[in-house]
Amino acid sequence: MFNFVIDLISRIGYFGVFLLIAVENIFPPIPSEIIMPFAGFVVSKGELNFAIVLLAGTAGSVAGALPWYFAGKWLGKERLERLAKNHGRWLTVSPEEIRKSVDAFNRHGKNAVLFGRLIPAVRTLISVPAGIVEMKLSIFLAYTTAGSLAWTGVLAWAGYLLEKNYTTVGKYIDPTSKAIVATIFVIYVYRVVTHRK
């Protein structure tokens, strides 16, 4: 996987960064913790421009968030509540919890979208409730762009500063990402097992 990222960015440059980050946001097979530091390393060699790499990574992140936003919008609160009523065990949520979550998201939605873009796994899923509550698309795009810019910028800058040691970024951030995903999975399994109607 690592060699695939290197080869793709080396061959198609900025579009490779855009494509990999977009795919990572739709379904995360290759974490941005690997993609952006490598792109920063390529910048340090003088092969790419930092500002354009940053724009490509941010644009890819926003493009990858949009399908999830529209999926949430299509699903809607009422349909989600019906699903929770009929399949609550597997969704690990009740209609009442959905109502409370929607109310909370309506109060803190902008910050949730902004800071959610900085958290592994959450940055993919945070677009769904934004769509469910029908957050204005322009506001969603603004906060998604700001959060994505911060995240891709930190990773690319770290890769640029570390130059040949850019893999160190992934060495520390990737296990943290995996730990967060594993924790979410454990919580899900626990809620399935302990679910009561």
Side-chain angles (χ1 to χ4, degrees), residues 51-52 63 73 76 85 87 101-102 124-125 130 152 181:
I52 302 176
K73 195 167 184 177
K85 187 177 178 181
H87 307 286
S101 298
V102 166
T124 297
L125 299 175
T152 55
V181 172

Side-chain angles (χ1 to χ4, degrees), residues 103-123:
D103 289 342
F105 196 89
N106 278 325
R107 288 194 304 272
H108 309 290
K110 293 175 184 177
N111 288 332
V113 170
L114 178 64
F115 294 109
R117 302 303 303 171
L118 309 175
I119 304 169
V122 174
R123 69 173 166 264

Side-chain angles (χ1 to χ4, degrees), residues 7-18 48 53 56:
D7 184 55
L8 189 63
I9 294 178
S10 295
R11 280 192 294 113
I12 57 177
Y14 304 114
F15 183 68
V17 174
F18 169 85
L48 296 174
V53 161

Side-chain angles (χ1 to χ4, degrees), residues 63-167:
L66 284 171
W68 288 108
Y69 169 84
F70 286 113
K73 195 167 184 177
W74 171 79
L75 190 61
K77 180 173 169 277
E78 290 75 20
R79 188 176 291 173
L80 189 59
E81 285 179 4
R82 283 198 303 272
L83 283 170
K85 187 177 178 181
N86 298 325
H87 307 286
R89 173 182 290 276
W90 304 111
L91 292 175
T92 69
V93 69
S94 69
E96 186 182 62
E97 287 173 318
I98 288 171
R99 282 191 287 274
K100 286 179 182 176
S101 298
V102 166
D103 289 342
F105 196 89
N106 278 325
R107 288 194 304 272
H108 309 290
K110 293 175 184 177
N111 288 332
V113 170
L114 178 64
F115 294 109
R117 302 303 303 171
L118 309 175
I119 304 169
V122 174
R123 69 173 166 264
T124 297
L125 299 175
I126 197 64
S127 305
V128 177
I132 288 170
V133 303
E134 297 191 359
M135 176 184 273
K136 224 175 157 181
L137 184 59
S138 58
I139 293 172
F140 173 76
L141 287 174
Y143 281 85
T144 297
T145 300
S148 299
L149 184 64
W151 180 244
T152 55
V154 166
L155 292 176
W157 185 247
Y160 176 82
L161 291 178
L162 289 168
E163 294 185 2
K164 291 182 180 177
N165 297 313
Y166 71 94
T167 52

